Amino acid sequence: MFLIVAPVSIFCAFVARGLMDDFSYGMGLSVMIAAVLFTAYDLSLLLLTSGRDPGIIPRNAHPPEPEGFDGNAEVGANQTPPLRLPRVKDVVVNGITVKTKYCDTCMLYRPPRCSHCSICNNCVERFDHHCPWVGQCIGLRNYRFFYMFVFSTTLLCLYVFGFCWVYIVKIRNAEQITIWKAMAKTPASIALIIYTFIAVWFVGGLSVFHLYLMSTNQTTYENFRYRYDQRANPYNRGVVENIKEIFFTPIPPSKNNFRGKVPQEHGLRPRATNGFMSPNMGRAVGDIEMGRKPVAWDEPRMAAEIGDLGAGLSNLLEDKDGRFRCASPDLSRDALAVGGGLEEQGSSATNPGRTSWGVEAGR
């Protein structure tokens, strides 16, 4: 926002104000008003791009149910045959087979054109890319606003760039001096010309690139990874239909209720697996796309079991007098506060063997 507001403010203060005296019939004032309105429109598109749900698919609480048996597995007479989720599934799109992958983080099969963002840590529909300039993924629900923002920023750069040159020419004609001397009289115009000239190559090039992607119905992710130019694109329906799909189709509603309350599960217990096997069951699983530290496949369930075990161990920490022993350094303050006081601390000093519950339990 600063990269947009700051140069426009300099333009209005040093260039547009000078043009107000040079243009007749109030034309100079319209230059400033147009710059302000154009900037407000550009910032609104920026907020729409960064503030909307890009198409996040809600995560599943549990893996999907497997569809078939693993015929290669050998099981006993009283055992349930293990079921294994395939890593990929084939989906037919417009007569062309497309592979959909299983996401270990979200525990779902990604729809076609969906990918898991390694920065937002979410599966996003029609994932294009993660834009660090807007701090948001670009996907199904905000792609049109992203392109409109980039294109309007390009036009704003050209607007400022053009009127800075107009102001320099006005100074040259009014004072009958060379163009170089006229440029020296308005350093703000020179700074803005250099700034907008550099910026327009980035936002202008991005506008042209995404115009090509829209005309061929591709995403940035697909263009860099799949290279549809070398094979059939199942989503390409012609230039006109592709453009209509981006700008003239209703945006689907969000699948997330960001204002809703998170449901809290009471009395979480390990549920029966019925012989179910995840694609990564039996080994530590890290998020392949996230590159995070490997964690246990069913960590919430393990946490519940540890919580139940901790509740049982808390009863063992009481001695016959109803006082807590020092089970760990973190519990020492609680042990003193509950009833041990200084007397318990003194007994621990005289009997060091009884200060650690783990040592005594080992006996």
Side-chain angles (χ1 to χ4, degrees), residues 319 322-326 331-350 355:
D319 58 11
R323 298 178 179 179
F324 286 98
R325 295 177 181 173
C326 183
L331 297 177
S332 59
R333 294 190 301 269
D334 296 336
L336 294 175
V338 170
L342 295 177
E343 296 178 358
E344 185 70 19
Q345 186 178 10
S347 62
S348 298
T350 56
T355 58

Side-chain angles (χ1 to χ4, degrees), residues 106-127:
C106 300
M107 293 188 290
L108 51 83
Y109 282 98
R110 303 169 189 161
R113 314 193 83 177
C114 174
S115 183
H116 191 92
C117 177
S118 60
I119 300 176
C120 295
N121 197 19
N122 287 312
C123 281
V124 179
E125 291 184 286
R126 201 186 184 278
F127 176 78

Side-chain angles (χ1 to χ4, degrees), residues 113-183:
R113 314 193 83 177
C114 174
S115 183
H116 191 92
C117 177
S118 60
I119 300 176
C120 295
N121 197 19
N122 287 312
C123 281
V124 179
E125 291 184 286
R126 201 186 184 278
F127 176 78
D128 189 88
H129 70 286
H130 182 92
C131 182
W133 295 100
V134 302
Q136 178 67 289
C137 281
I138 308 302
L140 177 65
R141 302 189 69 251
N142 64 346
Y143 181 79
R144 71 173 60 172
F145 301 109
F146 168 76
Y147 182 79
M148 294 168 64
F149 163 69
V150 173
F151 184 70
S152 63
T153 305
T154 303
L155 296 180
L156 183 60
C157 288
L158 295 176
Y159 182 88
V160 174
F161 181 86
F163 275 102
C164 284
W165 278 113
V166 170
Y167 185 52
I168 293 175
V169 172
K170 287 287 185 181
I171 295 176
R172 185 197 64 175
N173 296 337
E175 301 184 10
Q176 296 296 319
I177 57 178
T178 63
I179 191 69
W180 301 107
K181 290 183 179 180
M183 292 170 64

Side-chain angles (χ1 to χ4, degrees), residues 26-346:
M27 292 295 296
L29 181 62
S30 63
V31 174
M32 181 180 294
I33 294 176
V36 173
L37 294 178
F38 209 162
T39 303
Y41 171 72
D42 195 39
L43 293 177
S44 64
L45 291 174
L46 172 61
L47 296 177
L48 282 173
T49 304
S50 62
R52 290 179 65 91
D53 173 15
I56 298 174
I57 300 179
R59 300 185 181 186
N60 288 332
H62 304 287
E65 295 295 333
E67 296 181 353
F69 297 98
D70 190 351
N72 297 326
E74 297 181 0
V75 294
N78 297 326
Q79 297 179 352
T80 304
L83 304 179
R84 185 179 295 276
L85 288 171
R87 293 301 303 167
V88 295
K89 281 186 176 182
D90 292 337
V91 178
V92 178
V93 179
N94 296 327
I96 299 177
T97 302
V98 178
K99 295 185 178 297
T100 60
K101 298 174 63 177
Y102 179 80
C103 180
D104 294 304
T105 303
C106 300
M107 293 188 290
L108 51 83
Y109 282 98
R110 303 169 189 161
R113 314 193 83 177
C114 174
S115 183
H116 191 92
C117 177
S118 60
I119 300 176
C120 295
N121 197 19
N122 287 312
C123 281
V124 179
E125 291 184 286
R126 201 186 184 278
F127 176 78
D128 189 88
H129 70 286
H130 182 92
C131 182
W133 295 100
V134 302
Q136 178 67 289
C137 281
I138 308 302
L140 177 65
R141 302 189 69 251
N142 64 346
Y143 181 79
R144 71 173 60 172
F145 301 109
F146 168 76
Y147 182 79
M148 294 168 64
F149 163 69
V150 173
F151 184 70
S152 63
T153 305
T154 303
L155 296 180
L156 183 60
C157 288
L158 295 176
Y159 182 88
V160 174
F161 181 86
F163 275 102
C164 284
W165 278 113
V166 170
Y167 185 52
I168 293 175
V169 172
K170 287 287 185 181
I171 295 176
R172 185 197 64 175
N173 296 337
E175 301 184 10
Q176 296 296 319
I177 57 178
T178 63
I179 191 69
W180 301 107
K181 290 183 179 180
M183 292 170 64
K185 287 182 174 292
T186 171
S189 297
I190 303 303
L192 290 174
I193 286 174
I194 296 174
Y195 179 83
T196 53
F197 178 78
I198 296 175
V200 78
W201 285 102
F202 292 96
V203 292
L206 197 61
S207 300
V208 174
F209 174 67
H210 279 279
L211 183 62
Y212 158 73
L213 293 180
M214 287 188 297
S215 63
T216 57
N217 207 330
Q218 299 183 61
T219 65
T220 303
Y221 181 80
E222 293 170 348
N223 180 264
F224 280 90
R225 182 161 185 175
Y226 299 120
R227 296 292 180 182
Y228 283 135
D229 295 336
Q230 302 176 4
R231 60 180 183 144
N233 182 359
Y235 310 104
N236 190 0
R237 299 185 297 173
V239 177
V240 177
E241 292 298 325
N242 293 337
I243 298 297
K244 288 173 60 178
E245 179 181 337
I246 297 296
F247 293 105
F248 301 102
T249 55
I251 298 177
S254 174
K255 297 181 179 180
N256 302 275
N257 182 15
F258 294 105
R259 296 178 180 270
K261 296 183 178 180
V262 178
Q264 184 177 3
E265 297 184 6
H266 298 281
L268 182 62
R269 291 293 184 272
R271 67 186 185 94
T273 58
N274 294 327
F276 167 76
M277 295 179 64
S278 168
N280 297 301
M281 177 77 83
R283 60 185 177 91
V285 178
D287 191 343
I288 298 175
E289 292 174 294
M290 286 294 296
R292 298 185 302 175
K293 181 179 178 181
V295 295
W297 172 80
D298 205 357
E299 189 173 0
R301 194 178 306 165
M302 293 179 62
E305 294 177 357
I306 294 174
D308 295 340
L309 180 60
L313 292 177
S314 63
N315 297 328
L316 299 177
L317 296 179
E318 297 186 20
D319 58 11
K320 59 184 179 180
D321 296 329
R323 298 178 179 179
F324 286 98
R325 295 177 181 173
C326 183
S328 66
D330 296 333
L331 297 177
S332 59
R333 294 190 301 269
D334 296 336
L336 294 175
V338 170
L342 295 177
E343 296 178 358
E344 185 70 19
Q345 186 178 10

